[in-house]
Amino acid sequence: MKKITLLIALLFTGVLSFAQETEKEKAPGHYNISKFRQLKQELPTPNSYRTASGAPGHEYYQQKADYKMDIILDDDKQRIYGEEVITYYNNSPDDLEYLWVQLDQNIRAPDAKTNDVKAGGPASYYSPKKFTEEFLGKPFQGGFNIDYVKNTEDGDMTYTVNGTMMRIDLPAILKAGDKTSFKIKWWYNIPNHVIDGGRSGFEHFEKDGNNNYVIAQFFPRMAVYNDVEGWQNLQFLGRGEFALVFGDYEVNITTPEDHILDGTGVVTNRKEMLSSKQWKRYEQALTSYDEPVVIVTQEEAEENEKKVSKKTKTWKLKAENVRDFAFATSRKYILDGQAVKLGERTVMAISLYSKEGNPLWGEYSTRVVASTVKSYSAQMFDYPYHKAISVHAKRQGMEYPMICFNFGRPKPDGTYSERTRNGMIGVIIHEVGHNWFPMIVNSDERQWGWMDEGLNTFAQLLAEQDFEPGFPSRGYPKNVVDYMDGDQAKIAPIMTQHDNVFKSGPNAYSKPAAGLYILREVVLGHDLFDKAFMTYAQRWRFKHPTPADFFRTMEDASGTDLDWFWRGWFYTTDYNDIGVKDIKKYIVTEEPTEKAKKLAKRYGMTVDQLGKNLYLVEADANSTDAAASGGSVQDIATLNEYLSDNFSKEERNSLKDTKYFYEIIFEKPGGLVMPILAEITYADGSKENKYYPAEIWRFNDKEIKKIIGSEKEISSIVIDPNQLTADVNLENNSWPRKESESKFDSFKKEKITD
């Protein structure tokens, strides 16, 4: 009881302060505006499909779509011809009267609606071809050309094309639990992705007349039907990527005979497609765990470039439980591979690149793929597929199951800058990492770009540091400060449909990644965060999570209420700005303060009834009274006398030798609530880090006060010295302020001694 007496006295001061504030002029009533209120209105109501814990519910379902395709690549016309049979499984509890199919290539059709929704002035520059297409009436003749949609008995089916979506009317209701099959035949002109941009296409090399093909979105694909959106049939406008259904694929791809190809799934006839020497090298690569083995050499690729074969061959690929399919092919490709050990399994890291990528790609690509597979597997779950492929493609950075297309090209003489090297390494880690988000943890990219890009950019940061400590990663909080402190008219909350954000890079990539970094480094710590993040990934692998599933799982698995963080960081455009407003020094006295007297009067007590207590009184820098100018021997004698009267010798020996008392006033001009990271430097040069959780702002969103007792005199305080919280204004982060001498400075020469 004796030890509690001093605490009670100190509490009187705080209670009185609160009481005085409540006596101010009354404001009108209002709804709950606390930044710590629960996300009840923002998040959907839990149900049997998606639980309040963030896990799939006992009635969770997802549809399935299997594809059997025959594809012909026409290298002369740069054209794709395809026929497919889609088998669609209705695993939902709903009966369906029509199906929606995605026609993403229609974004390139001459009459595409997407061309009309884009606004803006002249581009920085135009290639002659692009200028002609844009302004002289000769647009690229892109988009799907549908030859037919038929049932499996060759009967025509009714369909309607709406931009990048096609509705197929079913002849009979597709009952819950049933399946249906239908056929589509199509063709389209492949765009030159170097000139026209986009996520796939070909690159032409004038010097040797050949093309490198990176092919994706090349077939009509089923749209997603689920418990959240019904049919996800938002138009493809170019930014919001893809919502896709898991399924099995059997794909036959016919190319020129001299091409080298790889793609999603197992190449079931790879031995037939390679020469005997190349096949032996491939078998060697299957057990080469230390370094890549070159399977198709640069010399062989250069020989292929010289002779254009008119013959063809058909590559056969088979994939199970993937959400998409892509491939790359060229007669120019070099192929190398390296084995990666994951537990009892071996995964192949593979690279495809033409000589234009060397020596950079031969030195780094496959090694980076191997490192990424190991790092992401440790973060989330072991990579479940048998291979991961990195393909060299100019001005590309795009991902698909088991394969990705990546930029990074040295100069013609083979030299490259550090920036080119780091850019290539970064994009390979990022795109290979997309195998986890969203290829396996299959979020709706059309709606929520951050759920794959942001989560992946965060995981990428950790993988980059695994590959090379000190690598210049982009997901750190300090890297989003300029964006968050920018023009509010040009900033959207992260929780905005991806086509409608102003700046996709910081909004969907950097800011979500920085937020997760803050959660890991500042709010939760590594152990809690890593377990929660892994729980989310494992709960939703090969399923379709929503933002609510992520938010709820992170809270459920960490045992931490994070609603304040999700609201501020994801649902608003608020920024963080926390500073040190003032520091006041206090002395100890037995005399009741004016605050204590008022408090006693408020509760009907006399001053005598307060009893024998200690009080903290603000030291007055301008006073001539020694006791009020920083403490004196008498003040400490009073404290020591009080302690002697109320504590035993053993108890006194266990107490801290506190000589200094400070009130630190923290201010928060920014809208975000955030923990306070305070680095305190003492007069003897020693430092101490103080951590105050975000909840410290619950009852005052503008400023809060903390009383600190210390053995040593404080010389300075810095907020967030390592820039871990994306604080947009560092000028108010330190005390004393550099620009002017503060009241605190006057105490530096005054020391309280025993």
Side-chain angles (χ1 to χ4, degrees):
M1 289 295 294
K2 294 178 180 178
K3 295 183 180 180
I4 297 175
T5 310
L6 177 60
L7 298 178
I8 294 175
L10 297 179
L11 284 174
F12 275 177
T13 312
V15 172
L16 178 59
S17 176
F18 176 77
Q20 288 175 327
E21 289 176 3
T22 58
E23 290 176 356
K24 295 178 181 178
E25 182 179 349
K26 292 184 178 180
H30 56 78
Y31 289 101
N32 186 357
I33 59 174
S34 168
K35 292 179 180 177
F36 292 90
R37 67 189 184 277
Q38 297 295 285
L39 285 173
K40 300 300 184 184
Q41 297 176 349
E42 290 84 352
L43 299 185
T45 303
N47 51 49
S48 58
Y49 304 124
R50 298 168 191 273
T51 68
S53 70
H58 67 278
E59 290 186 308
Y60 173 83
Y61 71 88
Q62 61 191 40
Q63 311 291 66
K64 184 185 180 188
D66 294 341
Y67 299 82
K68 292 185 177 180
M69 289 188 278
D70 291 299
I71 305 298
I72 298 173
L73 172 72
D74 187 333
D75 190 28
D76 293 329
K77 296 180 179 178
Q78 292 84 54
R79 184 175 290 177
I80 289 282
Y81 297 92
E83 296 181 65
E84 67 182 348
V85 176
I86 301 176
T87 300
Y88 185 73
Y89 300 81
N90 182 14
N91 297 322
S92 80
D94 308 321
D95 296 341
L96 304 177
E97 54 185 306
Y98 49 79
L99 308 176
W100 281 99
V101 175
Q102 303 183 64
L103 302 177
D104 302 299
Q105 285 297 325
N106 281 3
I107 194 174
R108 297 187 175 279
D111 60 348
K113 297 177 182 177
T114 51
N115 295 331
D116 296 329
V117 301
K118 296 177 182 178
S124 300
Y125 63 88
Y126 299 89
S127 68
K129 183 176 184 295
K130 185 66 176 176
F131 190 88
T132 301
E133 292 177 358
E134 190 86 16
F135 301 112
L136 302 182
K138 294 183 179 180
F140 176 71
Q141 298 298 303
F144 282 116
N145 298 276
I146 304 296
D147 289 337
Y148 63 68
V149 179
K150 295 178 179 291
N151 59 34
T152 51
E153 287 76 37
D154 286 332
D156 290 336
M157 298 182 71
T158 302
Y159 66 91
T160 303
V161 174
N162 176 20
T164 58
M165 288 287 171
M166 176 170 68
R167 169 176 155 158
I168 299 177
D169 294 320
L170 297 172
I173 296 294
L174 180 61
K175 296 289 186 180
D178 285 353
K179 64 180 180 179
T180 186
S181 296
F182 56 96
K183 301 188 294 184
I184 303 176
K185 183 178 181 180
W186 77 94
W187 65 271
Y188 73 91
N189 293 315
I190 304 170
N192 184 324
H193 68 78
V194 177
I195 295 174
D196 298 321
R199 290 167 168 77
S200 66
F202 72 92
E203 177 183 2
H204 183 69
F205 296 86
E206 291 289 347
K207 188 173 181 179
D208 55 56
N210 290 301
N211 302 309
N212 287 353
Y213 293 91
V214 288
I215 303 299
Q217 294 92 52
F218 65 94
F219 60 101
R221 306 179 294 176
M222 288 303 306
V224 168
Y225 182 87
N226 64 19
D227 61 289
V228 179
E229 300 284 346
W231 283 107
Q232 173 51 287
N233 51 17
L234 287 174
Q235 291 290 317
F236 179 40
L237 300 180
R239 177 183 288 170
E241 290 177 337
F242 312 111
L244 297 164
V245 185
F246 285 112
D248 301 333
Y249 287 74
E250 293 182 26
V251 185
N252 302 321
I253 306 172
T254 300
T255 69
E257 188 180 43
D258 48 9
H259 271 219
I260 294 295
L261 177 147
D262 214 332
T264 304
V266 177
V267 180
T268 60
N269 64 340
R270 189 187 294 273
K271 185 175 182 179
E272 302 167 29
M273 298 293 101
L274 301 176
S275 70
S276 58
K277 290 182 179 179
Q278 292 165 350
W279 176 250
K280 288 180 181 178
R281 297 176 199 142
Y282 179 78
E283 289 186 308
Q284 181 185 350
L286 293 174
T287 56
S288 178
Y289 294 97
D290 297 325
E291 61 181 3
V293 174
V294 179
I295 299 161
V296 178
T297 68
Q298 182 165 330
E299 292 74 22
E300 290 168 334
E302 289 176 345
E303 191 63 29
N304 273 350
E305 292 177 358
K306 299 174 184 177
K307 301 174 183 179
V308 178
S309 175
K310 296 299 181 182
K311 296 181 180 180
T312 63
K313 61 183 178 184
T314 300
W315 300 74
K316 297 181 179 181
L317 295 92
K318 187 175 182 180
E320 296 181 353
N321 204 21
V322 295
R323 72 167 219 159
D324 201 1
F325 192 100
F327 66 94
T329 182
S330 175
R331 63 176 53 87
K332 293 171 61 66
Y333 278 150
I334 302 162
L335 170 67
D336 69 33
Q338 175 182 338
V340 181
K341 198 70 171 177
L342 291 180
E344 299 300 317
R345 296 173 51 244
T346 292
V347 172
M348 288 301 296
I350 295 173
S351 293
L352 284 172
Y353 49 97
S354 56
K355 66 178 185 294
E356 288 78 13
N358 265 337
L360 183 59
W361 276 68
E363 291 175 355
Y364 286 105
S365 178
T366 297
R367 290 181 173 87
V368 175
V369 174
S371 177
T372 305
V373 168
K374 293 176 183 177
S375 181
Y376 273 70
S377 294
Q379 289 185 55
M380 273 80 71
F381 50 79
D382 279 355
Y383 185 67
Y385 299 127
H386 74 288
K387 67 182 177 185
I389 310 166
S390 169
V391 183
H392 174 50
K394 190 174 183 179
R395 297 178 188 170
Q396 279 292 325
M398 196 58 203
E399 71 280 356
Y400 304 94
M402 306 183 211
I403 186 170
C404 55
F405 313 147
N406 304 306
F407 61 76
R409 180 168 295 178
K411 298 174 183 177
D413 64 1
T415 62
Y416 52 86
S417 65
E418 189 76 5
R419 181 178 180 181
T420 297
R421 169 195 177 272
N422 291 342
M424 187 203 76
I425 291 171
V427 73
I428 291 175
I429 292 175
H430 182 85
E431 305 305 344
V432 171
H434 269 306
N435 277 286
W436 281 262
F437 307 110
M439 300 304 145
I440 299 169
V441 183
N442 188 4
S443 57
D444 180 354
E445 297 178 276
R446 187 64 50 86
Q447 186 79 8
W448 309 115
W450 68 268
M451 285 197 73
D452 70 296
E453 299 297 357
L455 271 59
N456 185 42
T457 300
F458 166 76
Q460 172 193 350
L461 184 156
L462 301 184
E464 286 171 343
Q465 302 311 309
D466 286 343
F467 178 78
E468 185 176 281
F471 189 88
S473 302
R474 62 175 166 173
Y476 294 112
K478 63 182 180 182
N479 295 339
V480 297
V481 167
D482 288 344
Y483 169 69
M484 297 182 71
D485 194 33
D487 181 2
Q488 283 288 326
K490 296 295 183 182
I491 302 177
I494 294 174
M495 286 294 292
T496 301
Q497 195 271 328
H498 196 43
D499 285 311
N500 298 325
V501 301
F502 292 96
K503 296 179 180 179
S504 177
N507 181 280
Y509 294 71
S510 302
K511 185 181 176 185
L516 297 184
Y517 188 86
I518 292 171
L519 284 180
R520 187 174 193 257
E521 299 295 327
V522 179
V523 179
L524 295 177
H526 290 195
D527 185 52
L528 277 180
F529 179 91
D530 291 350
K531 288 178 179 177
F533 197 62
M534 181 179 287
T535 298
Y536 167 72
Q538 293 182 356
R539 276 181 176 178
W540 290 96
R541 64 198 299 260
F542 296 109
K543 294 182 176 67
H544 301 268
T546 67
D549 299 321
F550 175 69
F551 298 150
R552 285 170 168 155
T553 293
M554 291 298 293
E555 295 193 17
D556 180 69
S558 70
T560 308
D561 180 5
L562 298 171
D563 282 12
W564 60 271
F565 187 85
W566 308 132
R567 173 177 286 106
W569 198 265
F570 285 82
Y571 284 89
T572 79
T573 62
D574 281 342
Y575 53 83
N576 178 38
D577 181 12
I578 296 174
V580 185
K581 183 177 181 180
D582 197 7
I583 295 180
K584 298 178 180 179
K585 197 169 188 179
Y586 283 78
I587 61 172
V588 181
T589 176
E590 289 180 298
E591 292 298 321
T593 63
E594 290 302 313
K595 288 183 179 180
K597 293 176 182 178
K598 289 181 180 179
L599 184 65
K601 183 178 180 181
R602 179 182 178 87
Y603 289 97
M605 300 170 60
T606 66
V607 173
D608 292 337
Q609 287 176 318
L610 289 176
K612 186 176 181 182
N613 293 302
L614 296 180
Y615 304 89
L616 288 178
V617 180
E618 183 180 355
D620 186 354
N622 299 315
S623 174
T624 57
D625 182 0
S629 60
S632 68
V633 175
Q634 181 180 0
D635 299 318
I636 295 303
T638 299
L639 176 59
N640 287 337
E641 181 183 349
Y642 180 90
L643 295 176
S644 297
D645 292 343
N646 292 275
F647 295 85
S648 69
K649 182 177 180 181
E650 291 74 17
E651 289 175 323
R652 293 199 306 273
N653 290 336
S654 68
L655 298 176
K656 293 180 180 179
D657 187 18
T658 304
K659 301 188 178 101
Y660 301 92
F661 300 92
Y662 299 94
E663 177 188 71
I664 305 175
I665 304 174
F666 297 102
E667 62 178 349
K668 191 173 70 63
L672 282 181
V673 289
M674 194 66 66
I676 301 174
L677 307 179
E679 180 186 78
I680 300 176
T681 301
Y682 295 100
D684 64 0
S686 62
K687 296 179 184 292
E688 181 183 9
N689 291 315
K690 292 279 190 180
Y691 176 89
Y692 302 109
E695 287 80 3
I696 197 171
W697 301 104
R698 287 175 302 163
F699 303 122
N700 192 331
D701 192 53
K702 297 302 180 183
E703 71 174 44
I704 55 93
K705 302 174 182 178
K706 290 297 296 184
I707 297 291
I708 293 179
S710 172
E711 303 174 25
K712 297 177 286 188
E713 186 180 17
I714 294 176
S715 62
S716 66
I717 296 180
V718 177
I719 302 297
D720 192 12
N722 298 315
Q723 299 182 49
L724 298 178
T725 62
D727 195 314
V728 304
N729 176 24
L730 301 183
E731 293 183 2
N732 63 353
N733 281 33
S734 59
W735 192 273
R737 301 286 170 84
K738 295 179 181 179
E739 59 270 20
S740 62
E741 182 176 333
S742 67
K743 174 182 174 181
F744 179 70
D745 292 323
S746 64
F747 294 128
K748 286 191 173 180
K749 295 182 180 179
E750 297 289 340
K751 294 188 176 181
I752 303 176
T753 58
D754 260 321

